[in-house]
Amino acid sequence: YLGVDGTALDAKITRMINASFKYLEGVTNIHAITKDKKFFYDCGVVIVYDYPINSTTSTTHKVTVKQNYSIYVENNTETETITLNVGYDDPADIDPDYIECAYALIEWLFEGNELNDLPEVIKEMIGSLKRFII
């Protein structure tokens, strides 16, 4: 995709891929790669915007799923955290637009640019994937 032959830049490109996905996850709350993520209850409630949610280790909570978020209410008042497994199990399930945004970010970084200097066209691509607007 970047027109690179050989393996001399593999470590650099891997860092760019990781930075791009981390940036996208932070902006959109959509996780491409599965991971466990810990959330802290506030007065027994956690509102989670992350997507997709695969599973949880908790068995004592009640969950209400809304359009773009989930609300976890803990029944055990001594429980302070909940760990959720988030991200896509199968990369084929990831929205192609999300992948295009990742490609655009990787290419932008590869050209020597910074994430804080993204052009408007990339910002608009990413904005269309956001699960909520604050």
Side-chain angles (χ1 to χ4, degrees), residues 41 44 58-63 72-79:
Y41 285 105
S58 173
T59 58
T60 61
H61 70 274
K62 177 186 172 207
V63 63
Y72 291 82
V73 178
E74 180 53 56
N75 296 323
N76 180 348
T77 57
E78 298 197 11
T79 302

Side-chain angles (χ1 to χ4, degrees), residues 28-129:
T28 66
N29 285 82
I30 299 170
H31 297 267
I33 301 164
T34 57
K35 66 184 78 48
D36 287 338
K37 190 170 177 184
K38 185 186 287 189
F39 296 87
F40 291 87
Y41 285 105
D42 183 11
C43 299
V45 176
V46 173
I47 299 174
V48 178
Y49 296 97
D50 297 65
Y51 180 84
I53 298 171
N54 302 314
S55 63
T56 176
T57 56
S58 173
T59 58
T60 61
H61 70 274
K62 177 186 172 207
V63 63
T64 303
V65 178
K66 301 290 187 176
Q67 183 175 356
N68 288 322
Y69 62 96
S70 299
I71 302 170
Y72 291 82
V73 178
E74 180 53 56
N75 296 323
N76 180 348
T77 57
E78 298 197 11
T79 302
E80 296 179 356
T81 64
I82 185 170
T83 300
L84 303 174
N85 182 270
V86 298
Y88 285 96
D89 288 325
D90 184 353
D93 293 336
I94 300 172
D95 183 341
D97 291 340
Y98 190 92
I99 299 299
E100 284 303 315
C101 285
Y103 281 145
L105 289 173
I106 294 162
E107 186 174 12
W108 180 254
L109 291 173
F110 187 75
E111 292 173 356
N113 300 297
E114 300 288 329
L115 287 172
N116 59 355
D117 293 329
L118 289 175
E120 285 303 312
V121 66
I122 295 177
K123 288 179 183 178
E124 289 175 16
M125 288 171 61
I126 295 169
S128 71
L129 298 171

